[in-house]
Amino acid sequence: MNMLSSQAVSTSGQKDRSAAVSAALGRTLCALLPAGAQLTLGWSDATLGEGCLRHPPRAGSDRALLDTLLASPPVCPQGGAVYRWQHQGGELVIHVLLDDGASPPDAWWGVARSGLQDALALARQREQIRSLENSKRLQQALYEIADLAGADLEMSEMLRHFHRVLNSLMYAQNCYIVEYDDVRRRIRFLYFADQRDNFVADPDRSYEEHEMPRSLTFALLRHGQPLSGPSNELLAAMSDEYDPSRGPESLDWLGVPMLRDGRVCGAIVVQSYEQRVRYNEADRTLLGYVAQHILTAMDRRQAQVQLERQVERRTLELQRANHSLQDEVIERRRAEKLQLALFNIAEMAMSAESLAQFYVQVHGVVGTLLDARNFYIALVDESGEGLEFVYSVDEYNPARAPRPFSMGLTEYIVRNRQPLLASREHIDALRASGTVNEFGARSHCWLGVPLLSDDDVVGVIVVQSYSPEISFTAHDQRLLTFVAQNIGNGLARQRDQERLRNAHAELEIRVDERTRELAEVNDKLLGQIGERLRAEQRLTHQALHDALTGLPNRAHLLDRLEDAIARARSRDGLRFAVLFLDLDRFKLVNDSIGHAAGDQMLVEVAKRIVSMVGGDDVVARLGGDEFAILLECEQGLESAREFSQRMLVALEESMWVQGRELFPSGSLGIAMWSPRYRNGEEMVRDADAAMYRAKAQGKDRWAVFDEAMREEALRSLDLEADLRRAINNRDFMPFYQPIVRLTDGQVVGYEALLRWQHERRGLLLPSAFLDLGEESGLIEQVDWLLYEEVIGQLARGGEGYLSVNVSPRHFRSPDFSSRLFGLIEAAGADPRRLRLEITEVALLDDGPRTLRILQALRERGVLVQLDDFGTGFSALSYLHRFPISTLKIDQSFIAGLHGQDLQSTYALVQGVLSLARTLGIETVGEGIENAAQRETLLQLGCDYGQGYLLGRPAPMETFVTA
């Protein structure tokens, strides 16, 4: 194949070397030289190629002469003068040979140079014009090919047009196009046109390679590259000879493959039988370019043909499907019609007022399904020995008398329990055989089906025709049979309803009698119902109102709040607020003069509040001494503030309760409506928070819930969530503060102080979360985590005791002791090194019970220290009753030893220390921060000390390392 390709290069593609410059230029330039001068013009140009012009013409090779003139340095054959220069990317040379060997004058050189440059520039322009014309012609041809691909033409007609277009671009009188199957190695001649070859191409036939041995076409397809040259040379390259049976020998043969996705799928071949027509490289490139566009057009056309076939096939399928759907629609309409008939029959069986009306309605329904102008219903009588024609509409037999069973067609159906469709001939045959007798007018077609009830034949329904134009079919028989099943059930239902109507008639008589009796009872019941309604109203009022004051309660307030929020969202400008009132020192009233007085005070407060609000405002009592007010505020927050101030002033007016003059006051919180509130509960919550802010600021005042409170509430919620996570993650740890013997500075023990290693805020003191922990109840879990850590530290050994604070809530817990000892036993710790610190409140809460707990702890070796002595009741009388091992004097007294109340504090501390020594109780001074305090306590006889001067709280590892 490489040899074939190399031989396919045509020599006809070489350009005329002298065509770029006309001979007239050579003659003109020679005319300006002396007689006998010889002139050579040469050039090497990217557009025009290489060439030379000699004047006068003479023998010799232009190629060799040009090579010598363009060499570096140029060689001058036979002497003479040479001038070479570059112009517009090309190289130009002029060689002049004069008889006397002289050189032309400079003026001539200038004219020659200018003339050669102008001639070459003109030649380039002509070449560009020719190239543009060729491009235009090629573009028009490609447009035409694209248009042909979309035209409504047969493939053969389209290929003939392709041939015509190709022939307009190059010599292509003899052309054929083949399709190639590279898997089966078959070709099919899609198009064949040749002036000399009488081969007839059949587009429907495929040729295999063995059928066309040593074929140039198969060689081209296997090679996959353009192939050109005389056919005899190409055959010689294939080591083959010309065979006349293959067709005439072409003087030039050019074929290019057509590629689809890199695979050879066909070829287009042109050939010439004329000596003057030869194909060059430009023809090969043009044919390859056009071939791919023809392939694209053929693919588009083939795809269009396949699409049309698919559309035609799909259209046929859709037509068949449409016919099927139409048949299905007809069948469904029949089914719907039948279903409607059955529905009507079932409905009539329930709604018909009598059997006669039911028969008429059944006739009407059957008439919608088939021709029922002659129709009757026959039922087996109650004796079971005859027929009753309960309904009959007939052209010739309008009335049918009852009869005993005989040989009629109706009795035939009753006996056989099967439908009967009989034509006139069939009826005559049955009569001739003695099977049946015919009553009344002779029918042309007769159709009867049995009526069944509980699998028993109870009658027959019949339609008949007296005209040859009307006949019944098997479809009518199936239809009437199906309908008859429902008619039989309808008849049974109608009979049951007839019996029921008779029973109802009897029942109505009894009902009338019973009604009179019930009327008397009803009058009594009406009185009871009225009383019950009043009771329900009272219960409803009680459910939504406070029993003491008669004011709405929380549920009623929240309902009204939801309405107010809905109105505020739907109407711009509606402003309202929720006010939360809590009476100051109300518990003191209950504890001092009794709950009855407290109730009387609440009623009076409620009256004062109600007297101040408008008709659309709501005053509610939430419980205890808490009241809430839903207040419309036309002027916004200013209205709420003004009302709050007036209400607090009104509350301060004196009132007489139980013979005493009282001056109540209250703390008030205000929450203004904002779109951020989702429900009334949130507004009440925020108003409550604002009320607590007012109490914290000194009571007898009001406070407005603002963003700061909201952020504080959110922080509280976040802190509670953090607290719960910290409990799960065990983020709490004890810090230990040394307890030192004052005489020699020896550490005798440590107090475990709670710390929280917060994930974001770092180490927190109890003051940052203790109140929240107490409020949420989580502090109990935190305390037990602390107890577990302290007991674990005890189990790891060491010297001295460890004390831990126990809140009154824990101390009151019935399982505190058992749970504590369980931790000690599980850890294997020494209980004698554990001390519990309790406050005076825990000690005096329940004396006998506290004494039992303290004795149980002491029996197990756990000692109890009384913490913060002097801040509570400070009743010295209980110290000898309870087994207290140590008394810790509160740091406020230690700080006062050198303060303004020096003498009184000194005497108090001295008295406590004397009493403790008398009772044999050790003493610890808390909060020692300077040496003077330490020396004073040492002089007064205090045993131990604790404070920043003696050691700051730190992890136990700090003290062990030290």
Side-chain angles (χ1 to χ4, degrees):
M1 287 305 171
N2 294 333
M3 181 174 61
L4 289 174
S5 178
S6 64
Q7 291 181 355
V9 178
S10 173
T11 58
S12 64
Q14 298 295 329
K15 296 181 180 179
D16 186 357
R17 295 179 182 273
S18 61
V21 179
S22 65
L25 177 61
R27 291 194 299 271
T28 302
L29 293 177
C30 277
L32 299 176
L33 295 173
Q38 295 182 10
L39 175 65
T40 302
L41 303 176
W43 61 89
S44 176
D45 187 79
T47 302
L48 302 175
E50 296 180 347
C52 67
L53 174 68
R54 295 192 289 184
H55 189 82
R58 55 192 178 274
S61 171
D62 292 343
R63 176 77 258 178
L65 177 61
L66 184 63
D67 290 342
T68 59
L69 292 176
L70 295 178
S72 296
V75 179
C76 301
Q78 301 176 358
V82 175
Y83 183 76
R84 189 171 72 180
W85 76 101
Q86 292 184 348
H87 178 67
Q88 294 183 352
E91 192 169 2
L92 289 71
V93 64
I94 300 176
H95 175 237
V96 179
L97 180 63
L98 301 179
D99 290 342
D100 57 1
S103 176
D106 292 340
W108 184 91
W109 284 112
V111 171
R113 175 177 177 177
S114 177
L116 181 58
Q117 290 178 170
D118 292 342
L120 291 178
L122 181 60
R124 291 191 193 98
Q125 292 176 358
R126 286 197 300 268
E127 184 66 23
Q128 291 175 356
I129 291 172
R130 187 181 64 81
S131 177
L132 290 174
E133 290 176 348
N134 290 338
S135 298
K136 178 180 179 181
R137 190 166 64 255
L138 176 60
Q139 190 69 29
Q140 290 175 345
L142 295 179
Y143 282 149
E144 190 171 355
I145 290 173
D147 291 339
L148 288 172
D152 188 12
L153 298 173
E154 296 292 336
M155 180 64 75
S156 59
E157 183 69 18
M158 183 181 71
L159 294 178
R160 274 196 295 274
H161 285 286
F162 283 166
H163 183 198
R164 176 182 56 77
V165 173
L166 180 62
N167 199 32
S168 67
L169 300 174
M170 60 183 294
Y171 180 81
Q173 295 290 337
N174 309 295
C175 173
Y176 63 86
I177 302 173
V178 298
E179 183 183 56
Y180 180 53
D181 184 351
D182 62 346
V183 178
R184 300 181 180 180
R185 295 184 179 274
R186 293 179 179 179
I187 64 172
R188 185 164 62 91
F189 287 88
L190 302 177
Y191 178 77
F192 189 88
D194 199 280
Q195 294 175 322
R196 296 186 182 182
D197 196 344
N198 57 2
F199 174 73
V200 178
D202 184 2
D204 297 328
R205 181 186 174 187
S206 297
Y207 296 88
E208 297 185 2
E209 192 170 0
H210 67 85
E211 298 181 75
M212 303 178 69
R214 298 178 296 281
S215 167
L216 289 177
T217 305
F218 272 105
L220 168 66
L221 295 171
R222 290 194 306 272
H223 183 58
Q225 296 293 331
L227 185 64
S228 66
S231 60
N232 57 353
E233 295 181 7
L234 296 176
L235 289 171
M238 297 172 59
S239 301
D240 198 3
E241 296 180 356
Y242 170 68
D243 184 358
S245 63
R246 302 179 190 169
E249 184 178 358
S250 57
L251 296 179
D252 203 358
W253 192 93
L254 173 61
V256 295
M258 293 188 293
L259 303 177
R260 182 186 295 116
D261 297 331
R263 298 175 58 182
V264 179
C265 62
I268 180 169
V269 177
V270 295
Q271 47 190 338
S272 170
Y273 301 110
E274 300 179 14
Q275 188 67 36
R276 64 180 180 83
V277 179
R278 296 299 178 90
Y279 300 112
N280 55 26
E281 187 66 27
D283 296 329
R284 177 190 297 185
T285 302
L286 176 63
L287 186 61
Y289 188 66
V290 173
Q292 287 305 118
H293 283 75
I294 291 177
L295 175 62
T296 302
M298 289 171 57
D299 289 343
R300 289 175 57 190
R301 180 58 184 164
Q302 189 68 24
Q304 182 178 359
V305 171
Q306 292 179 357
L307 179 61
E308 290 175 353
R309 292 177 181 174
Q310 186 175 1
V311 168
E312 183 179 359
R313 184 173 62 255
R314 185 59 178 164
T315 301
L316 294 175
E317 293 176 357
L318 289 175
Q319 287 177 351
R320 289 193 293 269
N322 188 38
H323 293 323
S324 299
L325 286 175
Q326 288 178 353
D327 295 340
E328 185 177 351
V329 168
I330 293 174
E331 188 61 31
R332 286 195 176 184
R333 287 177 178 173
R334 290 176 180 173
E336 290 175 358
K337 192 174 183 181
L338 177 60
Q339 189 69 27
L340 180 60
L342 299 179
F343 175 77
N344 290 335
I345 292 173
E347 186 178 13
M348 290 183 301
M350 298 299 297
S351 61
E353 297 180 358
S354 64
L355 281 171
Q357 184 183 14
F358 177 69
Y359 298 145
V360 174
Q361 293 173 343
V362 167
H363 183 199
V365 172
V366 174
T368 63
L369 302 175
L370 46 84
D371 191 302
R373 67 186 68 184
N374 302 297
F375 173 86
Y376 68 84
I377 299 175
L379 299 179
V380 178
D381 59 21
E382 294 183 0
S383 65
E385 297 179 355
L387 294 176
E388 293 181 351
F389 295 90
V390 295
Y391 182 79
S392 177
V393 174
D394 197 274
E395 297 176 77
Y396 300 101
N397 300 305
R400 300 178 186 271
R403 68 171 183 247
F405 286 142
S406 61
M407 300 298 292
L409 289 171
T410 306
E411 288 86 342
Y412 179 82
I413 293 177
V414 174
R415 290 195 303 272
N416 294 325
R417 303 172 58 87
Q418 295 294 329
L420 174 63
L421 174 60
S423 61
R424 183 69 257 169
E425 293 77 9
H426 190 192
I427 296 173
D428 291 340
L430 290 174
R431 289 180 60 197
S433 64
T435 304
V436 298
N437 291 327
E438 193 171 9
F439 296 91
R442 290 165 55 86
S443 57
H444 173 73
C445 188
W446 194 91
L447 173 60
V449 297
L451 295 175
L452 301 176
S453 178
D454 296 332
D455 204 31
D456 292 331
V457 178
V458 298
V460 179
I461 181 171
V462 177
V463 291
Q464 52 187 332
S465 168
Y466 299 106
S467 171
E469 288 78 13
I470 300 175
S471 297
F472 302 110
T473 64
H475 175 73
D476 296 330
Q477 176 182 325
R478 290 192 299 271
L479 196 63
L480 190 59
T481 301
F482 192 65
V483 172
Q485 295 175 1
N486 289 269
I487 293 176
N489 295 332
L491 282 173
R493 191 175 293 114
Q494 266 297 316
R495 286 180 175 176
D496 293 340
Q497 287 187 352
E498 189 71 22
R499 298 190 188 97
L500 186 60
R501 281 193 289 268
N502 295 332
H504 283 172
E506 297 177 1
L507 183 60
E508 285 179 0
I509 298 174
R510 297 177 59 188
V511 167
D512 289 339
E513 297 175 354
R514 186 60 177 166
T515 300
R516 288 191 296 270
E517 298 175 2
L518 291 176
E520 299 174 358
V521 177
N522 192 36
D523 293 337
K524 299 178 182 179
L525 288 177
L526 287 175
Q528 296 178 2
I529 290 173
E531 184 62 30
R532 178 169 295 182
L533 287 175
R534 288 188 291 273
E536 290 179 356
Q537 292 174 353
R538 288 194 299 271
L539 290 175
T540 302
H541 184 271
Q542 293 174 4
L544 297 176
H545 290 76
D546 175 50
L548 176 64
T549 62
L551 296 177
N553 58 13
R554 177 183 289 270
H556 191 175
L557 175 68
L558 293 178
D559 288 342
R560 293 292 299 273
L561 268 175
E562 294 299 329
D563 295 339
I565 291 174
R567 291 198 307 272
R569 292 189 187 279
S570 61
R571 293 189 304 173
D572 294 337
L574 180 63
R575 303 180 183 181
F576 66 94
V578 173
L579 280 60
F580 197 103
L581 173 67
D582 184 87
L583 298 181
D584 298 332
R585 300 178 300 279
F586 178 73
K587 186 175 183 301
L588 180 60
V589 175
N590 279 337
D591 295 341
S592 59
I593 59 178
H595 288 277
D599 291 345
Q600 186 178 349
M601 180 178 179
L602 291 175
V603 172
E604 180 61 27
V605 168
K607 291 179 180 179
R608 293 185 181 185
I609 299 174
V610 171
S611 65
M612 298 180 63
V613 299
D616 295 331
D617 300 329
V618 179
V619 180
R621 181 187 176 211
L622 304 184
D625 59 336
E626 295 178 344
F627 295 86
I629 305 167
L630 170 58
L631 183 70
E632 291 191 1
C633 303
E634 295 182 358
Q635 304 300 325
L637 180 59
E638 187 60 33
S639 296
R641 289 173 173 172
E642 187 272 335
F643 177 84
S644 300
Q645 188 62 40
R646 286 193 295 110
M647 187 173 69
L648 291 178
V649 172
L651 285 178
E652 292 175 353
E653 295 180 4
S654 65
M655 64 175 64
W656 287 89
V657 177
Q658 298 286 329
R660 294 179 179 273
E661 186 179 14
L662 302 179
F663 294 89
S665 65
S667 299
L668 191 65
I670 304 172
M672 291 298 300
W673 153 249
S674 171
R676 71 171 180 269
Y677 287 117
R678 295 171 296 180
N679 51 54
E681 192 69 49
E682 294 181 355
M683 292 192 69
V684 174
R685 177 201 64 200
D686 290 351
D688 189 12
M691 180 273 295
Y692 278 108
R693 172 66 62 87
K695 279 188 177 296
Q697 293 174 350
K699 302 180 181 180
D700 192 19
R701 66 189 64 231
W702 50 266
V704 180
F705 185 84
D706 53 14
E707 286 302 321
M709 291 187 190
R710 180 177 178 83
E711 291 176 2
E712 182 180 350
L714 292 176
R715 284 196 301 270
S716 179
L717 289 175
D718 293 340
L719 184 61
E720 182 178 349
D722 294 344
L723 189 60
R724 293 183 184 276
R725 284 196 302 273
I727 291 173
N728 295 330
N729 298 333
R730 305 179 71 89
D731 292 336
F732 297 94
M733 63 184 66
F735 269 40
Y736 296 93
Q737 187 174 26
I739 299 174
V740 178
R741 184 184 298 114
L742 295 179
T743 56
D744 56 5
Q746 179 67 30
V747 176
V748 298
Y750 299 89
E751 180 182 0
L753 302 174
L754 178 64
R755 297 293 186 269
W756 177 6
Q757 188 63 45
H758 195 277
E759 55 188 357
R760 296 186 307 276
R761 298 168 58 185
L763 194 67
L764 299 182
L765 298 177
S767 59
F769 59 89
L770 190 61
D771 291 341
L772 177 63
E774 291 284 354
E775 182 180 350
S776 62
L778 297 175
I779 196 63
E780 294 188 19
Q781 302 180 48
V782 176
D783 287 345
W784 281 108
L785 290 176
L786 178 66
Y787 301 159
E788 185 177 348
E789 290 289 337
V790 172
I791 292 173
Q793 182 64 43
L794 286 175
R796 287 190 286 272
E799 297 181 356
Y801 66 84
L802 299 181
S803 66
V804 62
N805 289 277
V806 179
S807 68
R809 178 183 299 183
H810 283 312
F811 208 69
R812 288 193 298 267
S813 177
D815 62 342
F816 172 74
S817 300
S818 59
R819 188 174 177 182
L820 181 67
F821 289 132
L823 289 177
I824 295 173
E825 293 173 359
D830 184 3
R832 292 172 298 177
R833 293 184 56 219
L834 176 65
R835 296 193 181 186
L836 304 183
E837 296 188 8
I838 64 175
T839 62
E840 296 175 71
V841 175
L843 191 66
L844 298 178
D845 188 25
D846 185 353
R849 182 176 173 278
T850 301
L851 181 60
R852 289 195 300 271
I853 294 176
L854 294 178
Q855 290 174 347
L857 291 172
R858 181 176 286 271
E859 289 174 1
R860 297 289 295 270
V862 178
L863 300 180
V864 177
Q865 301 181 157
L866 189 60
D867 193 17
D868 298 333
F869 182 78
T871 60
F873 296 97
S874 300
L876 302 180
S877 60
Y878 60 74
L879 291 179
H880 73 279
R881 295 171 48 201
F882 300 103
I884 302 297
S885 65
T886 304
L887 193 68
K888 301 186 74 174
I889 303 174
D890 187 72
Q891 58 185 354
S892 62
F893 296 104
I894 304 303
L897 288 174
H898 299 86
Q900 296 179 353
D901 300 330
L902 169 63
Q903 295 181 353
S904 60
T905 304
Y906 187 90
L908 178 62
V909 173
Q910 185 179 26
V912 171
L913 292 175
S914 299
L915 177 63
R917 283 194 300 271
T918 303
L919 297 176
I921 299 176
E922 296 179 343
T923 55
V924 178
E926 294 183 304
I928 301 176
E929 297 183 354
N930 52 59
Q933 294 173 349
R934 179 179 181 277
E935 289 300 324
T936 301
L937 288 173
L938 186 61
Q939 293 174 5
L940 292 174
C942 183
D943 301 316
Y944 306 101
Q946 179 182 355
Y948 286 172
L949 177 67
L950 306 176
R952 292 179 175 270
M956 182 59 74
E957 293 79 5
T958 304
F959 304 109
V960 174
T961 302

